Amino acid sequence: MQVFLFGKMRNYSFFKGVLYSVISALCFATLAVLIKVGYDANLTTLKMLFMRFFSAVVLFGSFLALFKREQLKISKSLLFKAFITGSVLYTTQAFCFFKAIQFTSPNVVELLLYIYPAFVSVLAFFFFKESFTFFKFVYIAVILIGFGFIFHDAFSSKIELKGVLFGFSAMIVYSFYLIVIQKFVKSENPFAFSFFTIFFAFVSFSVFTFVKEGVFVPNLTQMGVGLLLGLIPTFLAMLFLFVAIKEFGSALASIFSSVEPVFEIALSYLLLGIGLNMLQFVGGALILIGVFMANFYHLRESSGV
């Protein structure tokens, strides 16, 4: 394992991959903070989600049309798969994530989302009969113990507990989303698939928003939040992740993208003045350790070392 990593480090693509992965993680980390800012600007959950995906569709679509036009090959298979992931899974996960931040700290919600490696491993064991090794058992146990600290802390407040439950729901849907994506993307172009996933999420939230909220005209602050939600944690985050995967593969990209919660916690403290109490800190540290263990495990499995 050590020889493999040092061999990779001699390659210039490795360093570019690390850089792009970290930039992607930083972009993704702004999501929870921007959602909190959006709620403070009197935006509702549905309005924020509509504005986020509207901005993302315009930005992503413009980028593909200008620089990756050859990637926009449409087929019935691609549209069907993107509809399932975008209108069902991605829509549900995004809604639960946004609602969780409405009721509790963005730090807690971000850490809860990162329980997904443990849940994905359990799902893979039951649905795909993947082996359950000792190392896999250890990282699942570490992640779940970390979740136990955060969930225990939530009982101090009804509002926090409600946020935890929404956050936990977002993690469950996200886990299924990752498994479905793994199956769907194998035979599809990732740029086109991602664009149409975002497009179908936008269509879904357009319908939900106008049915429930009606037509609305955002003020300048709200428009700024909506644009930033589409630009930084959606378009730029996905773009840099794609480039990182191209440079050194998805397994290594997952490892270095795992710094996202660290960035989110730092941004929450610097921009919102929101920190972690002791139980949240211990739980978060355990979750992050477990996530790094999980990613290194899957890197070892994929590289055969």
Side-chain angles (χ1 to χ4, degrees):
M1 180 68 180
Q2 189 177 24
V3 173
F4 170 76
L5 283 177
F6 280 122
K8 285 285 186 182
M9 286 181 184
R10 297 192 189 100
N11 191 331
Y12 181 57
S13 290
F14 179 88
F15 292 101
K16 289 197 294 183
V18 172
L19 177 63
Y20 296 143
S21 296
V22 171
I23 293 174
S24 173
L26 179 59
C27 291
F28 276 122
T30 63
L31 177 59
V33 175
L34 287 171
I35 293 170
K36 200 71 174 176
V37 172
Y39 281 125
D40 290 341
N42 295 319
L43 279 168
T44 65
T45 301
L46 288 177
K47 287 177 180 176
M48 263 194 290
L49 285 161
F50 165 76
M51 294 172 70
R52 176 198 183 187
F53 287 107
F54 172 75
S55 300
V57 165
V58 172
L59 292 166
F60 208 161
S62 300
F63 171 78
L64 292 178
L66 291 172
F67 303 106
K68 297 282 185 180
R69 190 173 299 176
E70 72 282 359
Q71 306 280 353
L72 277 175
K73 295 180 180 179
I74 305 173
S75 66
K76 290 181 180 179
S77 170
L78 183 144
L79 291 176
F80 174 74
K81 293 173 182 177
F83 173 78
I84 296 298
T85 55
S87 291
V88 181
L89 296 172
Y90 200 12
T91 297
T92 305
Q93 188 272 336
F95 180 79
C96 289
F97 188 82
F98 274 59
K99 290 299 288 185
I101 292 174
Q102 182 178 2
F103 295 111
T104 193
S105 163
N107 294 336
V108 172
V109 179
E110 181 78 12
L111 291 170
L112 287 176
L113 187 64
Y114 268 73
I115 300 171
Y116 77 84
F119 198 76
V120 168
S121 294
V122 173
L123 290 176
F125 173 75
F126 284 106
F127 288 97
F128 304 113
K129 307 302 179 184
E130 286 191 8
S131 59
F132 220 75
T133 64
F134 175 76
F135 191 86
K136 190 178 287 189
F137 174 81
V138 171
Y139 76 66
I140 290 174
V142 171
I143 291 172
L144 292 181
I145 292 170
F147 169 69
F149 275 95
I150 291 177
F151 193 75
H152 179 271
D153 186 58
F155 279 99
S156 62
S157 166
K158 281 187 177 181
I159 296 178
E160 287 243 347
L161 182 58
K162 189 174 183 179
V164 167
L165 293 176
F166 268 116
F168 189 64
S169 298
M171 183 278 300
I172 292 175
V173 178
Y174 184 61
S175 299
F176 280 103
Y177 171 80
L178 291 176
I179 289 178
V180 171
I181 286 290
Q182 185 179 353
K183 298 296 179 182
F184 281 0
V185 173
K186 284 183 179 179
S187 57
E188 304 292 349
N189 179 283
F191 278 99
F193 182 80
S194 297
F195 170 74
F196 282 105
T197 296
I198 292 173
F199 173 78
F200 282 118
F202 161 67
V203 171
S204 297
F205 283 120
S206 297
V207 174
F208 295 147
T209 303
F210 291 125
V211 168
K212 187 172 176 58
E213 310 265 359
V215 177
F216 71 99
V217 180
N219 59 39
L220 286 177
T221 300
Q222 293 171 338
M223 288 178 62
V225 172
L227 177 61
L228 289 175
L229 281 168
L231 174 64
I232 303 175
T234 312
F235 170 61
L236 289 179
M238 294 178 70
L239 183 62
F240 278 108
L241 183 60
F242 277 133
V243 178
I245 291 172
K246 182 180 178 182
E247 290 293 336
F248 64 1
S250 58
L252 282 169
S254 295
I255 290 175
F256 292 100
S257 296
S258 299
V259 297
E260 178 190 334
V262 178
F263 284 139
E264 190 281 326
I265 291 168
L267 289 172
S268 287
Y269 180 75
L270 292 173
L271 300 178
L272 304 176
I274 299 173
L276 294 171
N277 62 36
M278 184 54 66
L279 282 177
Q280 293 169 353
F281 179 83
V282 173
L286 288 171
I287 289 172
L288 290 177
I289 290 170
V291 169
F292 276 107
M293 291 173 65
N295 285 328
F296 271 111
Y297 172 81
H298 292 292
L299 172 62
R300 186 182 65 182
E301 290 293 302
S302 65
S303 61
V305 295

